[in-house]
Structure formats: C-alpha cells, structure tokens
Amino acid sequence: DGFRGTLQTDGYAGYNRVCRENGLTRIGCWDHARRKFVEASQAAPAKKKGTKVSKADVAIGKIRKLYAIEKRIEALPPEEKTRQRQQLAQPVLNDLKAWLEKNRTRVPKDSLTYKAMQYTLNQWELLTGYLADGRLHISNALAENAIRPFAVGRRNWLFADTPRGAKASATVYSLIETAKANGLEPFAYIHHVLQHIGGASTVEEIEALLPWNVTLSKLQEG
C-alpha cells in the first residue's frame, strides 16, 4: 500500500492492470527477451563449419552489447548512468529495432526465432524504459535471484491445504526474503521477531520489527 515507482516485469499482460490501478510506471526485462533468442538458438540444428550465423545468434550478439554497456557504467552515479545510456545504449537499441523489423519477415512465423523477435518488438517501449533513469536496471535479475530459493523450494511444498495457509506461507516467505535483502540472517531475524512481537501493541512497535527497521546489533543484543 502506498508504493509509488517503477515495476519491472516480464511480458505478462496481467501486470498492466496492476500498474494502471496503482499509478505505477512499468518497464520490461531484457533477460526475458534475450532468453527467448537463446532458446531459439539452442533449438536450431547443430551448426556445420562454414554455415552462416543464425538470426537468433545475431540478435543475442546485439543484445550482449547492451549488457556490456551496463557493466562498463555500473559504478557511475544514477545521473551519469542515465546520460551514458542515452549516448551509448540508444544507438545500439536503434540498430537492434531496425534489424528486428527487417528480419522478422524472413523467418517462419511458427519458429522460436520469429516468436522471440515478435515478443521483443511488442515489448519495445517497456524494454527501453530503463534508459530514462539511472537507478533502474536492464533486467529484473536481482528480483529473480531473490525469489529463486523459494521457486526451487516450492517443489518440496507443492500444495497448501487451504487458501489461508497459502497466504500465511507467502507472508512468511516474503518476510524471510526481505530480511535477506536487508542483510539480516533469516533465523536470527525470525528469532528476534518472535521474542518481541508479543509485546508490540501499537502499529509503530510492529513496524519497528520489519526487516528494514532492524539492525544486526539489535539482533545481537536481543
């Protein structure tokens, strides 16, 4: 509640409503676009020596230039990063878009390469959204890495007995991952919360137990 800012996602259309109803700016993720070309490249027949590079591989090479720029400017302050992206990444993006528009009619419409091209062009405005603000990232890999332990672990808890149980589980998982994102050791943090939540009688006292309000020194003292 009350969040205002930018939501970075894959191409799932359901996020359109989330952003519209909450006044959020939505941007896309180049990891997802690139992944579709990688899948197309891997599905292609084995290349023989001397054969032309596939269009999927050409696209991957062009996208790789965008990531190389990000690596080069990652230590810069946001304002300078924005300027560098406009100067360095925009021409690469212009070239990539022109290449996609020219070549999507040259591959079969039922091919993975065509689908990757179409996805990228359909998402273009969102995919280029990161250029506008140096605080934004080229992909949402940080978020995906944060939820990966849960995504892998859910195979071990495939079913929740009730909707209430599923909601409770989601709350706990979110709290643990947020604690990790704030540099807290999950077991120590949960132990701290359980020690103090019984005496929290006001909203302020409960909010003081949220991960971003708890420091390691407090955990050590607790």
Side-chain angles (χ1 to χ4, degrees), residues 103-117:
N103 285 276
R104 67 174 165 176
T105 58
R106 300 179 177 180
V107 295
K109 287 191 174 182
D110 60 348
S111 68
L112 290 176
T113 299
Y114 178 86
K115 292 176 182 177
M117 290 177 168

Side-chain angles (χ1 to χ4, degrees), residues 61-81:
K62 291 178 179 294
I63 295 171
R64 189 178 293 124
K65 293 179 182 178
L66 297 173
Y67 282 84
I69 292 169
E70 290 303 300
K71 185 173 181 60
R72 178 173 157 189
I73 66 175
E74 63 181 348
L76 298 177
E79 297 80 8
E80 180 62 17
K81 192 176 288 186

Side-chain angles (χ1 to χ4, degrees), residues 30 34 60-77 80-96 130-131 134 136-138:
W30 274 103
R34 181 177 61 176
I60 293 169
K62 291 178 179 294
I63 295 171
R64 189 178 293 124
K65 293 179 182 178
L66 297 173
Y67 282 84
I69 292 169
E70 290 303 300
K71 185 173 181 60
R72 178 173 157 189
I73 66 175
E74 63 181 348
L76 298 177
E80 180 62 17
K81 192 176 288 186
T82 302
R83 192 184 72 80
Q84 290 286 334
R85 283 174 175 169
Q86 297 292 337
Q87 180 181 338
L88 301 175
Q90 188 66 67
V92 176
L93 287 163
N94 292 342
D95 173 71
L96 174 58
Y130 78 102
L131 295 179
L136 303 176
H137 295 272
I138 193 171

